Amino acid sequence: MLKKKVTYLDFNDQEVTEEFYFNLTTPEVTRIIAKIGSDIDDYAEKLAKEEDYEGIIDFTETLILTSYGVKSEDGKRFVKSKEARENFEYSAAYAELFEQLMTDPEQSKAFGQGLMRGAKAK
């Protein structure tokens, strides 16, 4: 599980810092690999090397939104409901995180590596 602190301006122009949680399970990683047709690290490197910006955007969005969830207080559940995902996707926090990952290759790499730590498949 990856915990990511994001500071952003909310829609009331207030600066907010929140912690968000991201995790990919082995079945989710397997689905992503089946969709892209290769290892996740290799695919990310290929997109960057080819400067495939549309592919980079789509892949980044897939990783963020597939991995986002809400951790239960007792730590026994990680809820990835449609409602939770949409609430995050339409937030200023998502926009800020997306921008950070798109403009900082090191941060993007660290995010991807953090997600892979939780899943067994690569």
Side-chain angles (χ1 to χ4, degrees):
M1 173 154 313
L2 175 66
K3 179 169 61 171
K4 180 86 172 139
K5 192 178 285 191
V6 179
T7 300
Y8 62 95
L9 283 179
D10 69 12
F11 295 109
N12 292 320
D13 285 331
Q14 302 294 313
E15 185 174 277
V16 179
T17 300
E18 284 185 82
E19 289 183 337
F20 297 95
Y21 295 91
F22 303 89
N23 187 60
L24 289 175
T25 64
T26 301
E28 289 168 332
V29 170
T30 302
R31 279 190 218 89
I32 291 170
I33 290 170
K35 180 180 174 186
I36 62 176
S38 72
D39 177 82
I40 288 175
D41 291 334
D42 293 342
Y43 185 70
E45 287 178 24
K46 175 183 174 268
L47 291 173
K49 183 178 178 182
E50 294 177 357
E51 297 182 357
D52 179 354
Y53 299 114
E54 186 176 342
I56 292 168
I57 290 168
D58 182 53
F59 188 58
T60 300
E61 190 169 71
T62 295
L63 287 180
I64 295 171
L65 295 176
T66 302
S67 64
Y68 174 76
V70 178
K71 186 175 72 155
S72 66
E73 287 189 33
D74 63 8
K76 294 182 179 182
R77 290 176 312 285
F78 191 64
V79 180
K80 293 184 176 182
S81 68
K82 181 179 178 181
E83 180 182 6
R85 177 185 169 181
E86 286 179 351
N87 285 339
F88 180 66
E89 182 178 8
Y90 299 119
S91 72
Y94 169 75
E96 177 62 30
L97 176 61
F98 182 83
E99 182 178 349
Q100 288 174 12
L101 297 180
M102 291 300 299
T103 59
D104 185 343
E106 289 303 314
Q107 195 171 152
S108 183
K109 184 176 181 177
F111 185 83
Q113 289 173 342
L115 291 178
M116 293 302 107
R117 271 185 255 136
K120 293 181 176 81
K122 281 197 176 184

